[in-house]
Amino acid sequence: MAEFPGKVNTETSSPSQTAVRGFSVRLISLDLIFIRTVPAILMITEIALGLLVWALIASTQYFRVPGFGWVMFVSVFLWILTILVFFIYFLRVNSKLVSVPWTIVLLAFNITAAVLYITAFLTTSASITPYFIAGTLNFNNLAAAAFFACLVMIAYCASSFLSFMAWRREGGGATAQAAGTVPA
């Protein structure tokens, strides 16, 4: 008869943080809580409305007015970059690349996107001229694109504000204050 061991291991384990936050595979882990945050909701909004902007402009004869080429570039370029940034945070790539200052990167991205969308909104609004007859497909699509560009611009401005607040929370302003460049 086999002997019963003298010591019995009675260790228990608790669910890991990964099980609470989302699904994890060795290289990829999904942050399901991130989707419920305000920055993620703003990114999803920017992606959806940015898609509307470039799709509406692409469905017109935008090549007749040079300004719409700029708007197409801004909207498609930022749409792709926003999708990339969203998946970097959703797949937690930012936690694996700790040497990158993600708060500053996101702040710079959002401010740049907001400024570019301000120019895109103004270009779209100013380029709708009497050449486009009110009520025609081109006019309606371009007017809608201008409206959605304004909404995307507001979303990027809100993301910029939240990124700035996150940067300040992490002590981003403390280094400038210690150097004496920011008044206390």
Side-chain angles (χ1 to χ4, degrees):
M1 185 160 118
E3 287 187 27
F4 190 75
K7 285 186 170 182
V8 177
N9 187 359
T10 58
E11 287 183 29
T12 60
S13 63
S14 61
S16 67
Q17 181 70 12
T18 306
V20 174
R21 287 192 64 93
F23 176 73
S24 176
V25 179
R26 192 170 287 259
L27 296 175
I28 299 174
S29 59
L30 302 178
D31 191 356
L32 298 177
I33 293 177
F34 169 70
I35 295 177
R36 296 183 189 134
T37 64
V38 175
I41 293 169
L42 281 171
M43 279 189 214
I44 292 168
T45 303
E46 293 158 0
I47 291 168
L49 294 176
L51 173 66
L52 281 172
V53 170
W54 69 259
L56 285 167
I57 291 178
S59 66
T60 65
Q61 297 174 348
Y62 68 91
F63 49 84
R64 292 185 180 198
V65 179
F68 291 125
W70 168 250
V71 177
M72 283 293 289
F73 167 75
V74 168
S75 58
V76 172
F77 181 68
L78 290 176
W79 182 72
I80 291 170
L81 283 182
T82 305
I83 289 172
L84 181 69
V85 169
F86 177 79
F87 279 109
I88 284 172
Y89 278 87
F90 183 62
L91 299 175
R92 291 196 206 162
V93 174
N94 60 329
S95 65
K96 293 175 178 74
L97 299 173
V98 293
S99 62
V100 177
W102 287 105
T103 307
I104 294 172
V105 169
L106 194 60
L107 176 62
F109 169 72
N110 284 325
I111 289 172
T112 304
V115 169
L116 288 176
Y117 252 107
I118 288 170
T119 65
F121 165 65
L122 293 175
T123 303
T124 304
S125 300
S127 297
I128 302 174
T129 61
Y131 170 76
F132 299 105
I133 300 168
T136 62
L137 179 65
N138 283 340
F139 179 83
N140 291 340
N141 286 357
L142 294 173
F147 172 74
F148 288 119
C150 180
L151 293 181
V152 177
M153 175 192 68
I154 292 169
Y156 276 116
C157 287
S159 292
S160 298
F161 177 74
L162 292 177
S163 297
F164 176 74
M165 296 307 289
W167 174 72
R168 292 291 298 227
R169 212 174 21 255
E170 285 187 5
T175 56
Q177 191 174 16
T181 57
V182 175

